[in-house]
Every structure is written in structure tokens, then in C-alpha cells.
Amino acid sequence: MTMAEAGGNGADVLLDVANISLSFGGVKAIRGVSFDVQKGEIRAIIGPNGAGKTSMLNCINGFYHPQEGTITYKGRTRKQMRPHEAAAQGIARTFQNVALFKGMSTLDNLMTGRLLKMKGNFFLEALHLGPAKKQELAHREFVEGVIDFLEIQTIRKTPVGRLPYGLQKRVELGRALAAEPELLLLDEPMAGMNVEEKEDMSRFIIDVNEEFGTTIALIEHDMGVVMDISDRVVVLDHGEKIADGTPDEVGKNQDVIDAYLGVSHD
Amino acid sequence: MLYREAGQFKASYAADQAIFPITQDRVAVIAVLLIAYLGVPFIQGDYWFEAILLPLLIFALAAIGLNILTGYCGQISLGTGGFLAVGAYSTYKLMTAFPDLNILLIFILAGLITAGVGILFGLPSLRIKGFYLAVATLAAQFFLVWLFNKVPWFYNYHPSGNIEAPPREAFGFLITGAEATPQVRYVVILIFVTLLTLAAKNLVRGRIGRSWMAIRDMDIAAEIIGIRPLQTKLLAFAISSFYIGVAGAMMFSMWLGSVETEAFQLFVSFDVLFMIIIGGLGSLLGSFLGAGFILLLPIVLTNLFVGGLGFTANFAKHVEFMLFGGLIIFFLIVEPHGLARLWQITKEKLRLWPFPH
Ligand SMILES: Nc1ncnc2c1ncn2[C@@H]1O[C@H](COP(=O)(O)OP(=O)(O)OP(=O)(O)O)[C@@H](O)[C@H]1O
Ligand SMILES: [Mg+2]
């Protein structure tokens, strides 16, 4: 694994998380965790329930503000970043519990995902004239590409609230992809899916990574999937990092095995 | 002609994104517009205009305004009456302070002033939601009505406390004041309502509308996509208030002619809220259906019970309250998308008829 060997060599690092600590009142969700994500890799974050994985993603895209530590993204170090700033810099994500816009169609959810790429001109839009109309069409074309890629053509006009869970997860991935992100954060993209759906989703994730060159950080409980698709894995437990390396290395790590023994998770 | 989508294949995304992608819808809208512009103005008799058509258009406009804020952006407001009053009183002040200013321009200015006031009262929406926001807008309602009542400057120190619209012309037609014919006033209001409805349609189906709905449906996800909650909500407050302000301007100057703050009390806020609940939250068509329903139901009931069956007017009023109450509960629980959604379901059924599967 050349990826793992390159770790720490600053050249290709897209995201560097250093000494992050986050607590809610008395609860320490993250304790001094450091790791990096390199350009073009699929980086998995694993760990038992309550390990602090989701909190870590929330720190990365500016939703939580860690009390300690720094986050360096594309060479710029920020102590605090607002979610919309993270979005503007090319970070997109999906949520552990699907967070789609329930009242809108699949197409509109994806178009909304692309919002930041659109330029605003209130009056032209109110009149639906020239550039505003052209812009809608251009973005529609891109979004249709994402729809084809994810094979969700048939549910284009369906309100997403009516879709089954597995498809909702897929639409949510689509919404994130519509933003053409450089860094894609996926929080348990396969939770609650059956084997077939998991296979589809794994394929999409690998394709996104390979075809668009998108860097991906994902949280996943299914170890089989993690071993299959990720380049490197970081393991959290009780807010601390207990291992970091290739799937093979991590799988053999005694601390990891201990952390997972006796801890119930699905 | 059958209502069919099948067979109408859209060869381009442009065709699919047209304002009315289905031919029959387009035809229906054009037919309604033709009747509204070329037929209705020749109706004789003031009753139809004063009791039905003018209030219908004006309240539909106010309902569109509230629907933008509540139905599309998810921010509940009980301040509609207050915002209508801002539109009315700023129109009055502008008409009397600048007698030479074009009256149509005054309507726009009144809308802009109301938009400013809307932004001000929308500021708390960054911090508070739902019930608490409703209470904050209720405060706006009471404050604004109190203000126009208590500060004589707003009604030019008139002893009665009333404001009265002076006569003004546009394009050679008298459109305000006692001498303006209802037909002319109707056409002017219709033009405003048509253009503003079109603009609202374009906004809600594009970038801005999606950002509103995103905030409404899942504000956390919206923020992570890059939507700024405060700006987005304030834009909704501004545009919503603009529509309501223009409606208030017309209500005062082209429909009632003379008003006092009594006309803008809390019950008006509720009336408009009921219009969008019954008509359909997040639907422009619903704003018209709801306005029509709420305005026509009392008239129909009075005619039926008092005129037809000989009951007292009081009885008709009570039936009206009960019906409204029941319907609002029905729509809130069973069909939050209102009459517009029922209409859409009918259309979906028709699309497949007579082969339901
Ligand atoms: N907003 C919050 N307020 C208070 N405590 C929180 C908050 N978010 C997370 N926590 C706490 O932080 C800890 C880590 O939670 P987090 O959701 O990050 O875990 P996780 O690794 O994603 O778990 P899971 O696998 O169950 O999703 C938990 O103890 C949780 O209760
Ligand atoms: Mg989690």
C-alpha cells in the first residue's frame, strides 16, 4: 500500500486533523485525535457506537467547533469554519439518519445540492429570463448526469419522502455529488441496507472515487465493506484514536480486536 | 379533451422545465386568463366586483405572500394583518405627501417599505422557530396595528382616525377614489396579480425556491449544502412582505377606499393563514383556491341558510365557524397540501383513467 507509506508526507494531504478535542458539557466525545486524509483515497473511520465518529465529521465540516486542535484543509488551517464555508470549499456530506428535503422530488433535492454552483440574480430569476434560464438548464444537465450515474432515473420526479430507505440513501449521495465535492464525507452510507443494496452502494462509492477522483472519508460498521473498499482506516474508541493504517494492519491490531469484542454493534 | 401526460414526451430539459409542462394545464391557464381579461371586465353591476372579484384577487395576493414565507420557507407568521396595514398606510402617506407620484409606483414603494418592515420582524427567525416564532410575529401584528392607531401622523391627524384614498389616475384612467369604476380597478389589480404570480412561480421553481424549501424541510442539511439560513429566511420575509404590502396597498386604495386599523386586526392574519392551509401550503394555485374558498363560503352559506331556508344570519355565521374549524383540522391532519393537492390527485387519477393500473 503506497498510500499508507505516503502518510505524513505533506504533499498529497487534502485534510489534516491535528489533536482535535471536543466535549459537550462533561461528555468528552473526542480526545486529542489526529489523522489525515490524502487526495484521492477512500479513508474509513470505524469504531464502536459512541466512539465519536459522527462528531468527527461534524468537526470537519464546521458543524461542531472543537475546543482544541486544528483542521487543515487544502493547506489552510482553520480553528473554526461555518458549514456553508466548508461547502463553498468543496466539502459535501451525507448523514447517518437520512436528512433529505422530504417535500421535494429527487430531482429538486439534487438541484438543491448544486445550489452553490449557481449564481444568483434575483430579478432575472423572477422573470426567468436569459442567463437565469440558461443556468437552470446547464445545471439540470449536470444533475441528470448524476441521476444516470446512480441509476435513479425512474424516481426523478418522486417526492423523496415516499421512497424506500435504501433509495433515500442513494438520493442523499446524489445530492452530495451534485455539488461536485473534492472531499465527500459519508456517515454510514450502508446502514440499514440489505446485502444487494450494500453491494450497489459500495460500487457507487468506488466509482465516484475512481471516475471523478473524489476523496472520500466514510464511517461504516460493516467490516467486510470497510476491508473491501477503503485504502486506509482510522479506528476510534471512546473518543480516542486506537489504530490507523491499511485495512490489513488494522484488522490484526490487538487494541482494535479488544475494542470490538464485547461491544455490541450491528 | 382528456387529461393526459402520456404521449407528451419531452425531448429536452427545457421543455420539461417549462412553467406548465403539461399541455392541458397550459391550455387551462390561458383560458382562465382570457376570461379574466377579456370577459370579466364587461360584467355589469358592482356587486360582483366589490363583494367577490376584488377581494378574491387581493387576498389571493396576500395568500401568495404568506405562502412564500410559511408554505415554502416553513416560517410561520401571524403578522399578515400588520403587514397589510403597513402596505395600506405607506400608500396613504405616499399618496398624500407626493400627489404627483405615479400611483402604480406608489404600490411598488409600499411593497418595498413593507418588505423592509418584514425583514426587521424576521430577524428573530434565526434564533427561534415554530411556536415561538409565531408568537414573535404576533407581537409584530399587535405592535403595527397599535402604531397606526396611536400615532396620528400616520393618518394625517384626521379626527376620525380613518385614512381615505384620494383620486389618482394611471394611463388616463381613474383608478382610486370614489369615482373610479370597479371594472377599471379590477383590471389594474388583475395585472398586478398576474405579474406577481408569474414572478412568484419563477422564484419558487428555481434556485431561490429550492433554498427556501431546503430550510423548511431540513435546515441542518440545507446549511451543510451551503445555504445560509439567515439570508434565506430574511429573503423569504422580505418577498413575502412585499406581496402582502402590495395587497394591503390595493386593499386600501382600490377596494375599500377608506379604512381604519380595525380592518387589519388579528382575524385578518388568521383568515389568510386559513386560506393557505385550506388551499395548500407551498402551492400558488392553492393560494387562489384558498382565498376563493374562504371568501365565498360565507356568501354561499348566507344565501343558502338565510336567503334559501330562512334561518337567521347568526345561524349562518355559526355554521360557517364550525365548517371552517372542521376543515382546518381536516386539512392540517389529513391533507396538509390542501385543496391544491386534492386537485393534483384528481389530475393524477385522470392521467391514468380509465386504466388505473
Ligand atoms: N450534540 C451532542 N450533544 C451532546 N452529546 C453529544 C452530541 N453529539 C454527540 N454526543 C456524544 O458524543 C459521543 C460520540 O457520539 P457520536 O455520535 O460522534 O458517536 P458515533 O461514533 O458516531 O456513534 P454511532 O456509531 O452510534 O453513530 C456520544 O457519547 C454522544 O452521546
Ligand atoms: Mg454516528
Side-chain angles (χ1 to χ4, degrees), chain A residues 132-178:
Chain A
K133 196 169 168 178
K134 252 202 214 130
Q135 159 165 285
E136 272 293 301
L137 279 178
H139 291 293
R140 170 81 189 265
E141 209 127 337
F142 180 88
V143 160
E144 288 290 342
V146 176
I147 288 177
D148 288 342
F149 174 80
L150 292 176
E151 298 158 21
I152 46 177
Q153 296 93 336
T154 51
I155 56 163
R156 194 188 271 120
K157 297 278 174 79
T158 315
V160 292
R162 288 195 219 157
L163 297 174
Y165 187 75
L167 274 180
Q168 290 196 6
K169 283 254 174 202
R170 206 186 284 189
V171 173
E172 204 187 16
L173 174 64
R175 186 179 67 185
L177 289 179

Coordinates of all heavy atoms in Angstrom, one line a residue, chain A residues 132-178:
Chain A
A132 N -30.6 33.4 -16.4 CA -31.2 32.6 -15.3 C -31.7 31.3 -15.9 O -31.5 30.2 -15.3 CB -32.3 33.4 -14.6
K133 N -32.4 31.4 -17.0 CA -33.0 30.2 -17.6 C -31.9 29.2 -18.1 O -31.9 28.0 -17.9 CB -33.8 30.7 -18.8 CG -34.8 29.6 -19.3 CD -35.7 30.3 -20.3 CE -36.6 29.3 -21.1 NZ -37.5 30.0 -22.0
K134 N -30.9 29.8 -18.8 CA -29.7 29.0 -19.3 C -29.0 28.3 -18.2 O -28.7 27.2 -18.3 CB -28.7 30.0 -20.0 CG -28.7 29.9 -21.5 CD -27.4 30.4 -22.0 CE -27.6 31.1 -23.3 NZ -27.0 32.4 -23.4
Q135 N -28.9 29.0 -17.1 CA -28.2 28.5 -15.9 C -28.9 27.3 -15.4 O -28.3 26.2 -15.1 CB -28.0 29.5 -14.8 CG -27.8 29.0 -13.5 CD -27.3 30.0 -12.5 OE1 -26.1 30.4 -12.5 NE2 -28.1 30.4 -11.6
E136 N -30.3 27.4 -15.2 CA -31.1 26.3 -14.8 C -30.8 25.1 -15.6 O -30.6 24.0 -15.2 CB -32.6 26.6 -14.9 CG -33.2 27.3 -13.7 CD -33.3 26.5 -12.4 OE1 -33.9 25.4 -12.4 OE2 -32.8 27.0 -11.4
L137 N -30.8 25.3 -16.9 CA -30.7 24.2 -17.9 C -29.3 23.5 -17.8 O -29.2 22.3 -17.8 CB -30.9 24.7 -19.3 CG -32.4 24.8 -19.7 CD1 -32.5 25.4 -21.1 CD2 -33.1 23.5 -19.6
A138 N -28.3 24.4 -17.7 CA -26.9 23.8 -17.6 C -26.8 22.9 -16.4 O -26.2 21.8 -16.4 CB -25.9 25.0 -17.6
H139 N -27.3 23.4 -15.3 CA -27.2 22.6 -14.0 C -28.1 21.4 -14.1 O -27.8 20.4 -13.5 CB -27.5 23.5 -12.8 CG -26.4 24.5 -12.6 ND1 -25.2 24.2 -12.2 CD2 -26.4 25.9 -12.7 CE1 -24.4 25.3 -12.1 NE2 -25.2 26.3 -12.4
R140 N -29.2 21.6 -14.7 CA -30.1 20.4 -14.9 C -29.4 19.3 -15.6 O -29.4 18.1 -15.2 CB -31.4 20.8 -15.6 CG -32.3 19.7 -16.1 CD -33.1 19.2 -14.9 NE -33.9 18.0 -15.3 CZ -35.1 17.9 -15.7 NH1 -35.8 19.1 -15.9 NH2 -35.7 16.8 -16.0
E141 N -28.6 19.7 -16.6 CA -27.9 18.7 -17.4 C -26.9 18.0 -16.5 O -26.8 16.8 -16.6 CB -27.2 19.5 -18.5 CG -27.0 18.6 -19.7 CD -27.5 19.3 -21.0 OE1 -28.4 20.2 -20.9 OE2 -27.1 18.9 -22.1
F142 N -26.2 18.7 -15.7 CA -25.2 18.1 -14.8 C -25.9 17.1 -13.9 O -25.4 16.0 -13.7 CB -24.4 19.1 -14.0 CG -23.4 18.5 -13.1 CD1 -22.1 18.2 -13.6 CD2 -23.7 18.2 -11.8 CE1 -21.2 17.6 -12.8 CE2 -22.8 17.5 -11.0 CZ -21.5 17.3 -11.5
V143 N -27.0 17.6 -13.3 CA -27.7 16.8 -12.3 C -28.2 15.5 -13.0 O -28.2 14.4 -12.4 CB -28.8 17.6 -11.6 CG1 -29.8 16.8 -11.0 CG2 -28.2 18.6 -10.6
E144 N -28.7 15.6 -14.2 CA -29.1 14.4 -14.9 C -28.0 13.4 -15.1 O -28.2 12.2 -15.0 CB -29.7 14.8 -16.3 CG -31.1 15.5 -16.2 CD -32.2 14.6 -15.8 OE1 -32.1 13.4 -15.8 OE2 -33.3 15.2 -15.3
G145 N -26.8 13.9 -15.2 CA -25.6 13.0 -15.3 C -25.5 12.2 -14.0 O -25.3 11.0 -14.0
V146 N -25.7 12.9 -12.9 CA -25.6 12.2 -11.6 C -26.7 11.2 -11.4 O -26.5 10.1 -11.0 CB -25.7 13.3 -10.4 CG1 -25.7 12.6 -9.1 CG2 -24.5 14.2 -10.5
I147 N -27.9 11.6 -11.9 CA -29.1 10.7 -11.8 C -28.8 9.4 -12.6 O -29.0 8.3 -12.2 CB -30.3 11.4 -12.4 CG1 -30.8 12.5 -11.3 CG2 -31.5 10.4 -12.6 CD1 -32.0 13.3 -11.7
D148 N -28.2 9.6 -13.8 CA -27.9 8.4 -14.6 C -26.8 7.6 -13.9 O -26.9 6.4 -13.9 CB -27.3 8.9 -16.0 CG -28.4 9.4 -16.9 OD1 -29.6 9.2 -16.6 OD2 -28.1 10.1 -17.9
F149 N -25.8 8.3 -13.4 CA -24.7 7.6 -12.7 C -25.3 6.7 -11.6 O -24.8 5.5 -11.4 CB -23.7 8.6 -12.2 CG -22.6 8.1 -11.4 CD1 -21.5 7.5 -11.9 CD2 -22.7 8.1 -10.0 CE1 -20.5 6.9 -11.2 CE2 -21.7 7.6 -9.2 CZ -20.6 7.0 -9.8
L150 N -26.2 7.2 -10.8 CA -26.7 6.5 -9.7 C -27.9 5.6 -10.0 O -28.5 5.0 -9.2 CB -27.1 7.5 -8.6 CG -26.0 8.2 -7.9 CD1 -26.6 9.2 -6.9 CD2 -25.1 7.2 -7.2
E151 N -28.3 5.6 -11.3 CA -29.4 4.8 -11.8 C -30.7 5.1 -11.0 O -31.4 4.1 -10.6 CB -29.0 3.3 -11.7 CG -27.8 3.0 -12.6 CD -27.1 1.7 -12.1 OE1 -27.7 0.9 -11.4 OE2 -25.9 1.6 -12.5
I152 N -31.0 6.3 -10.9 CA -32.3 6.7 -10.2 C -33.2 7.5 -11.2 O -34.0 8.3 -10.7 CB -32.0 7.5 -8.9 CG1 -31.0 8.6 -9.2 CG2 -31.5 6.6 -7.8 CD1 -30.7 9.5 -8.0
Q153 N -33.1 7.2 -12.5 CA -33.9 7.9 -13.4 C -35.4 7.8 -13.2 O -36.2 8.7 -13.3 CB -33.6 7.4 -14.9 CG -32.2 7.6 -15.4 CD -31.4 6.4 -15.1 OE1 -31.6 5.6 -14.2 NE2 -30.3 6.2 -15.9
T154 N -35.8 6.6 -12.8 CA -37.3 6.3 -12.6 C -37.9 7.1 -11.5 O -39.1 7.2 -11.4 CB -37.5 4.8 -12.5 OG1 -36.7 4.3 -11.4 CG2 -37.3 4.1 -13.7
I155 N -37.1 7.5 -10.5 CA -37.7 8.2 -9.4 C -37.4 9.7 -9.4 O -37.5 10.4 -8.4 CB -37.1 7.6 -8.0 CG1 -35.6 7.7 -8.0 CG2 -37.7 6.2 -7.8 CD1 -35.1 7.5 -6.6
R156 N -37.0 10.2 -10.6 CA -36.6 11.6 -10.7 C -37.6 12.5 -10.2 O -37.3 13.5 -9.5 CB -36.5 11.8 -12.2 CG -35.8 13.1 -12.6 CD -35.9 13.3 -14.1 NE -34.8 12.7 -14.8 CZ -34.9 11.7 -15.8 NH1 -36.1 11.2 -16.1 NH2 -33.9 11.2 -16.4
K157 N -38.9 12.3 -10.4 CA -40.0 13.2 -10.1 C -40.7 12.8 -8.8 O -41.7 13.4 -8.4 CB -41.0 13.4 -11.2 CG -40.4 14.0 -12.5 CD -40.3 15.5 -12.4 CE -39.6 16.1 -13.6 NZ -40.4 16.2 -14.8
T158 N -40.3 11.8 -8.1 CA -41.0 11.3 -7.0 C -40.5 12.1 -5.7 O -39.4 12.3 -5.5 CB -40.6 9.8 -6.7 OG1 -40.7 9.1 -7.9 CG2 -41.5 9.2 -5.7
P159 N -41.5 12.5 -4.9 CA -41.2 13.2 -3.7 C -40.4 12.2 -2.8 O -40.8 11.0 -2.6 CB -42.5 13.5 -3.0 CG -43.5 13.4 -4.1 CD -43.0 12.5 -5.1
V160 N -39.2 12.6 -2.3 CA -38.3 11.6 -1.7 C -38.9 11.0 -0.4 O -38.5 9.9 0.0 CB -36.9 12.2 -1.4 CG1 -36.2 12.6 -2.6 CG2 -37.1 13.5 -0.5
G161 N -39.8 11.7 0.2 CA -40.4 11.1 1.4 C -41.1 9.8 1.1 O -41.3 9.0 2.0
R162 N -41.5 9.6 -0.1 CA -42.2 8.3 -0.5 C -41.3 7.2 -0.8 O -41.7 6.1 -1.1 CB -43.1 8.6 -1.7 CG -44.3 9.4 -1.3 CD -45.4 9.3 -2.5 NE -46.0 10.5 -2.8 CZ -46.6 10.8 -3.9 NH1 -46.5 10.0 -4.9 NH2 -47.1 12.0 -4.1
L163 N -40.0 7.5 -0.9 CA -39.1 6.4 -1.4 C -38.7 5.5 -0.2 O -38.6 5.9 0.9 CB -37.8 7.1 -1.9 CG -37.9 8.0 -3.1 CD1 -36.6 8.6 -3.5 CD2 -38.4 7.1 -4.3
P164 N -38.4 4.2 -0.6 CA -37.8 3.3 0.5 C -36.5 3.8 1.0 O -35.8 4.5 0.3 CB -37.7 2.0 -0.2 CG -37.7 2.3 -1.7 CD -38.5 3.6 -1.9
Y165 N -36.1 3.4 2.1 CA -34.9 3.8 2.8 C -33.7 3.7 2.0 O -32.9 4.7 1.9 CB -34.8 3.0 4.1 CG -33.7 3.5 5.0 CD1 -33.8 4.7 5.8 CD2 -32.5 2.8 5.1 CE1 -32.8 5.1 6.6 CE2 -31.5 3.2 6.0 CZ -31.7 4.4 6.7 OH -30.7 4.8 7.5
G166 N -33.5 2.6 1.4 CA -32.3 2.3 0.6 C -32.1 3.4 -0.5 O -31.0 3.9 -0.8
L167 N -33.2 3.7 -1.2 CA -33.2 4.7 -2.3 C -32.9 6.1 -1.7 O -32.3 6.9 -2.4 CB -34.5 4.6 -3.1 CG -34.5 3.6 -4.2 CD1 -35.9 3.7 -4.9 CD2 -33.4 3.8 -5.2
Q168 N -33.5 6.3 -0.6 CA -33.3 7.6 0.0 C -31.8 7.9 0.3 O -31.2 8.9 0.0 CB -34.0 7.8 1.4 CG -35.5 7.8 1.2 CD -36.3 8.3 2.4 OE1 -35.7 8.7 3.4 NE2 -37.6 8.3 2.4
K169 N -31.1 6.8 0.7 CA -29.7 6.9 1.0 C -29.0 7.2 -0.3 O -28.0 8.0 -0.4 CB -29.2 5.6 1.6 CG -29.5 5.4 3.0 CD -28.2 5.6 3.8 CE -28.5 5.6 5.3 NZ -27.4 6.3 6.1
R170 N -29.4 6.6 -1.4 CA -28.8 6.8 -2.7 C -29.0 8.2 -3.2 O -28.1 8.9 -3.7 CB -29.4 5.8 -3.7 CG -28.4 5.5 -4.8 CD -29.0 4.7 -5.9 NE -29.1 3.3 -5.5 CZ -29.5 2.3 -6.4 NH1 -29.7 2.7 -7.7 NH2 -29.6 1.1 -6.0
V171 N -30.3 8.7 -3.0 CA -30.6 10.1 -3.4 C -29.7 11.1 -2.6 O -29.2 12.1 -3.1 CB -32.1 10.4 -3.2 CG1 -32.3 11.9 -3.4 CG2 -32.9 9.6 -4.1
E172 N -29.5 10.7 -1.3 CA -28.7 11.6 -0.5 C -27.2 11.7 -1.0 O -26.6 12.7 -1.0 CB -28.7 11.2 1.0 CG -28.4 12.4 1.9 CD -28.3 12.0 3.4 OE1 -28.2 10.8 3.6 OE2 -28.3 12.9 4.2
L173 N -26.8 10.5 -1.4 CA -25.4 10.5 -2.1 C -25.4 11.4 -3.3 O -24.5 12.2 -3.6 CB -25.0 9.1 -2.4 CG -23.7 8.9 -3.2 CD1 -22.5 9.4 -2.4 CD2 -23.5 7.5 -3.6
G174 N -26.5 11.3 -4.1 CA -26.7 12.1 -5.3 C -26.6 13.6 -5.0 O -26.0 14.4 -5.7
R175 N -27.3 14.0 -3.9 CA -27.4 15.4 -3.6 C -25.9 15.9 -3.2 O -25.6 17.0 -3.6 CB -28.3 15.6 -2.4 CG -28.5 17.0 -2.0 CD -29.4 17.2 -0.8 NE -28.8 16.6 0.4 CZ -29.5 16.5 1.6 NH1 -30.7 16.9 1.6 NH2 -28.9 16.0 2.6
A176 N -25.2 15.0 -2.5 CA -23.8 15.4 -2.2 C -23.0 15.5 -3.5 O -22.2 16.4 -3.7 CB -23.2 14.4 -1.2
L177 N -23.2 14.5 -4.4 CA -22.4 14.5 -5.6 C -22.7 15.7 -6.5 O -21.8 16.2 -7.3 CB -22.6 13.2 -6.4 CG -22.1 11.9 -5.8 CD1 -22.4 10.7 -6.6 CD2 -20.5 12.0 -5.6
A178 N -23.9 16.1 -6.5 CA -24.3 17.3 -7.3 C -23.5 18.5 -7.0 O -23.4 19.4 -7.9 CB -25.8 17.6 -7.1

